[in-house]
Amino acid sequence: MSAFFKLLARNRLALGGLIVMGLVVALALITPLLPLADPDATDTANRFLPPLSDGYLLGTDGLGRDLLSRLLWGTRLSLAVGFAAALFAAVAGAAVGIIAGFYGGRTDNIIMRGVDMLMAFPYILLALAIVAALGPGLVNALIAVSVVNIPFFARNIRGITVGLAHKEFVDAAKLAGMSNPRIILSEILPNVVPVIVIAMSTTIGWMILETAGLSFLGLGSQPPQADLGSMLGEARSALITNPHTSVIPGIMILIIVMSINLLGDGVRDALDPRLKSGALSRPMAATRVERKERPAPETSTDAILSLDDLHTQFHVKDRIYKAVSGVSLSVKPGECLGVIGESGSGKSVTALSIMGLVASPPGIITAGAARLEGRDMLSARFGELRRLRGRRVAYIFQDPLATLHPLYKVGDQLIEAISCHRAISKSEGRKKAIELLKSVRIPNPEERIDIYPHEMSGGMRQRVGIAMALANDPDVIIADEPTTALDVTVQAQILSLLSDLRRERGLAIIFITHDFGVVAQLCDRVAVMYAGRIVEEGPTMEILRAPAHPYTSRLIACVPELGEGKRKLEAIPGLPPSVDNLPAGCAFADRCLKAQDSCTKGEIGLEGSGSRAVRCLFPEPGFAEETA
Ligand code: ADP
Ligand code: MG
């Protein structure tokens, strides 16, 4: 709640609206306590007195009534009616919307067609018709304004509810045996309340205006009772001769409606989590690169892809998340490099940085180089980067359902992946797509090419994802946890498929995972990441046999093995540190059983001999013996 007010306060206009609105409401609340003249007492001797007259601060109207008093009482009435109408419309509209959205089917149809019918009439015309039927009067004006605003709320809330009604947590509530009314109250309602509040805060001003409009036409408050609309209406005939009588209530209406609308927009922005996180700001085409120093020249020569001291950060408001700090990696053609680490250790950000796919803002690459055959990708122009994306370096992502477009057939999506990079005729594209599906071992590809992603199983979709990555015969494939969403048997098939492809085509693969079992099956070498850095690197078999970093050995201890008897699986207690506030020295120290005081003082380098390297002052005994 305090976060909400902080956000609201940061928005100057909304804060201004809040203050003005607060003053007006406070004034309306204390009106009965103020020493004001009777707003309805006429005094024909003092007609049309100008403002600042003796005893009449704002002057008098055509019947000699005190304008200040009428203004304050009128404001009070207009606010009350406006708020009441908004509340009524919101409650009724939300109820209608939730019922229609939640029950769906025929209920939804009948209710929403009724709502459509209401919406078919112009706003004010409908309100006029309702007042005409009920007879003039403030209560009837209130009813009319509420009713014409119900459709707005109903449609809004129904849309949200339809989306929620099929969510897993609602299914879970049904499975738990909850009744529908209870699900609506405990599961749906809390999720739509923010939307109701937003809709209300942006429409109250409008409703006050509509009520004033009806009163202006003489259909709302009846004489002698004053509200802002009727004051305007009565002053209409004296607009030229005594303008103050209409200007005063006019200014009040302007102040109220403007401050409410400014406040309403602020409330909407502060409550909408997407606006809060800046997700609606469009990311740039490629990650922003702001390197202070030119990267060191390339050292290894036989690598097809190499990362050199890569630093990628996220600058969110005043915090800096160092997601990747100084990662160096390389893969040769035909080689598979595993990158392993707990969730949040910076694996994905490393992989995405290579082709400039980290969203900017907030992502910035602050140092280092990513080289494809010696050419630095981070200094490449966007056009070049785009030619290489998918053509030379292809990605396979974790969730195949999210990567495939739900509305296009898989075949068309494969053909699109090809035609991005070279012109291809329709029949040729189809042939190639079938070939691709065949190469990822999808049975009867001639038929499968014409189905939609939702008609496939998870494993099948992931194969399509792989086929798409293979579409342009890339040299490097970066697979970011491609098997995490799959069950073990499918995972095994996908791994053997990747392994075959690597052998057949000489692909270089960077395989990201959090599972040492997967690394053991597929990768020649492995790099272990922790808190944005590589803590250990070396050939997979050697690392599995004699891990050097305590973190690696504990990761390996987490993997169950068949036929090992009842070994206790060791979880690693604690959580990785937050990357916006990394401790000095070893980031793993506070979870490490062997940590000493020296571990938390100063930088610890990645030291190694031969093919192995470790970032630890006290490597595991097995490793120490081997290198000694
Ligand atoms: P993983 O190893 O699980 O793939 P990621 O590379 O996705 O981890 O994330 C690494 C770190 O970067 C995380 O700790 C996360 O907090 C941070 N991070 C990722 N994306 C953003 C973002 N858009 N804004 C701020 N921090 C981010
Ligand atoms: Mg990831």
Side-chain angles (χ1 to χ4, degrees), residues 313-323 362-364 578-582:
Q313 307 181 338
F314 293 95
H315 293 206
V316 184
K317 296 200 189 104
D318 42 3
R319 321 203 99 185
I320 296 180
Y321 296 83
K322 296 180 179 159
I364 302 178
S578 160
V579 289
D580 62 330
N581 189 14
L582 286 175

Side-chain angles (χ1 to χ4, degrees), residues 277 312-316 319-324 339-352 358-359 361-363 398 480-481 512-514 529 531-532 576-580:
S277 68
T312 306
Q313 307 181 338
F314 293 95
H315 293 206
V316 184
R319 321 203 99 185
I320 296 180
Y321 296 83
K322 296 180 179 159
V324 178
V339 177
I340 187 167
E342 275 168 289
S343 159
S345 52
K347 309 178 300 287
S348 299
V349 175
T350 305
L352 293 172
V358 176
Q398 176 173 354
D480 191 351
E481 311 210 24
I512 296 171
T513 176
H514 55 245
M529 278 192 79
S578 160
V579 289
D580 62 330

Side-chain angles (χ1 to χ4, degrees), residues 343-428:
S343 159
S345 52
K347 309 178 300 287
S348 299
V349 175
T350 305
L352 293 172
S353 300
I354 298 174
M355 282 285 124
L357 291 171
V358 176
S360 283
I364 302 178
I365 295 176
T366 53
R371 296 193 175 91
L372 182 67
E373 289 178 335
R375 169 102 178 77
D376 184 16
M377 291 295 99
L378 302 184
S379 50
R381 279 180 309 112
F382 176 61
E384 184 183 354
L385 213 50
R386 188 166 62 184
R387 272 198 302 284
L388 295 174
R389 284 179 183 172
R391 167 74 196 82
R392 303 288 307 278
V393 180
Y395 283 85
I396 306 170
F397 293 104
Q398 176 173 354
D399 181 1
L401 195 54
T403 23
L404 294 174
H405 196 300
L407 301 184
Y408 291 105
K409 295 172 180 165
V410 293
D412 293 343
Q413 300 190 51
L414 282 170
I415 296 170
E416 191 187 24
I418 304 169
S419 62
C420 280
H421 291 286
R422 61 193 159 95
I424 188 167
S425 74
K426 221 170 168 185
S427 61
E428 208 183 326

Side-chain angles (χ1 to χ4, degrees), residues 35-48:
L36 293 168
D38 180 352
D40 300 334
T42 55
D43 177 5
T44 36
N46 286 321
R47 295 175 62 217
F48 290 127

